Amino acid sequence: MDLAYTPEEEEFRARLRAWLTRTLPLLPPKPSPDDWPARRAYDLGWQRRLYDAGYAHVHWDASPTVRLIFLEETERAGAPYVGANFVGLLHAGPTIAAEGTPAQRERWLEPILKGEEVWCQGFSEPDAGSDLASLRTRARRDGDVYRVTGSKIWTSHAEVADWCELLVRTDPDAPRHQGITWLAMPMDAPGVTVRPLRTLAGSAEFAEVFLDDVPVPVANRVGAENDGWRVTMVTLSFERGTAFAGEVVACRRVLAELAREAHGNGRWDDPALRRRLGRLEAEFRALWRLVQWNVGEATENGVPGAGGSVFKLRYSHARQQLYDATADVLGDAALDLDRPWVLERLSSLSYTIAAGTSQIQRTIVAQRVLGLPKGR
């Protein structure tokens, strides 16, 4: 892909930068991390501002370079992160755009872009983890609806979600990777119970979701019945390939702040720490290049390829290393939960598990990138 910015793209950057300068001071204060209803309202409000200003479509329709400029400028300005819109905007929406019917695209895509509806992801299960093919939640066809029974876990934003991208087993006798279907389930359907989970960092952004004979219209099925594994690979390609792109920019900003903190408190005199931060700078520069490649591939081919697993594997590791380095810079203050980066350090522990464990990513890289034979 051509990474050079055209005059038109630089003009886009200037307009976006000016709009951010005018708009960000108008935002209300950020709500408490534990107040998810307030966080939902805040995140949807920001998404609506982006929509009204003509920037909401950038993630889906813009050229690779414009998307990258958007990520760079919003992060540079300290704009809100996608937050509760993460699933809808960054992988459920792109999946529906790629695999949905015209009626499904008309129903769901615009409300996501306008900041009217929040999505969560019902993929992981208590006994399956990242091995999605082991899922046990079943759906039985009953006329115009599927009757869904089972449970999901580690469901981000389920407490405030309107819709769930849900994987169900529709043919229990089929091989593991067949007989699976991708459904859009309304979270207010009868039989849905959400139980929030509190993490090590104190947040309750995850939940258990229990499904007791939940009716889901057949019209909400994305892709063919029993073809859900293929649709899921599209979803995971977006999740691993491009959904974390903005976080790489954020990590590079944190790294710069960490270096300034080290200069200020005298820890910069430690040559081992300087080498550590230098290696991290090189790592995140390389990851940004990989982001550019994945975004370009997604634009050219419709979805990112196996390069998404390469990115996810390296990004998860680099993020943990970055926040581990904050402990060296902060010293004893790293035990103070009110200091910057301390909660993020605790949260970073989950990144080698979230969106597919590092073991799963290594398997994908070995088989699809390196062409190695499957293990037993």
Side-chain angles (χ1 to χ4, degrees), residues 309-366:
S309 288
V310 177
F311 170 82
K312 175 63 175 53
L313 181 62
R314 291 305 308 171
Y315 171 68
S316 300
H317 183 63
R319 185 183 177 93
Q320 288 184 349
Q321 287 188 316
L322 170 64
Y323 283 102
D324 279 348
T326 65
D328 284 352
V329 173
L330 291 175
D332 293 342
L335 300 177
D336 182 354
L337 294 178
D338 293 328
R339 290 295 299 267
W341 309 319
V342 176
L343 289 178
E344 287 83 354
R345 185 186 180 207
L346 296 176
S347 177
S348 73
L349 296 174
S350 68
Y351 272 71
T352 49
I353 300 173
T357 66
S358 291
Q359 288 85 350
I360 290 289
Q361 310 305 335
R362 289 190 181 94
T363 298
I364 294 172
V365 171

Side-chain angles (χ1 to χ4, degrees), residues 104 122-123 125 132-133 135 137-141 145-146 148 152 164-172 174-185 216-233 235:
Q104 290 171 340
F123 281 14
E125 296 192 2
L132 295 179
L135 66 89
T137 295
R138 294 191 178 187
R140 174 178 54 84
R141 182 76 176 261
V145 301
Y146 290 102
V148 181
K152 300 290 178 177
C164 177
E165 53 175 15
L166 184 72
L167 288 189
V168 295
R169 187 165 293 284
T170 40
D171 183 354
R176 275 165 39 90
H177 296 86
Q178 301 175 25
I180 294 172
T181 298
W182 200 107
L183 300 176
M185 181 185 73
V216 179
V218 172
N220 289 16
R221 186 188 69 218
V222 176
E225 184 172 292
N226 299 327
D227 191 33
W229 185 256
R230 185 190 60 79
V231 181
T232 301
M233 291 304 102
T235 305

Side-chain angles (χ1 to χ4, degrees), residues 192 257 297 326:
V192 177
E257 293 172 355
E297 188 180 36
T326 65

Side-chain angles (χ1 to χ4, degrees), residues 95-149:
T95 300
I96 293 168
E99 297 290 335
T101 65
Q104 290 171 340
R105 290 195 287 270
E106 182 177 0
R107 167 61 187 87
W108 286 312
L109 296 187
E110 199 72 359
I112 292 173
L113 291 176
K114 286 183 175 178
E116 294 175 344
E117 293 179 342
V118 168
W119 285 65
C120 62
Q121 185 184 65
F123 281 14
S124 296
E125 296 192 2
D127 295 323
S130 292
D131 183 11
L132 295 179
S134 297
L135 66 89
R136 297 179 180 177
T137 295
R138 294 191 178 187
R140 174 178 54 84
R141 182 76 176 261
D142 181 14
D144 293 334
V145 301
Y146 290 102
R147 296 281 177 182
V148 181
T149 300

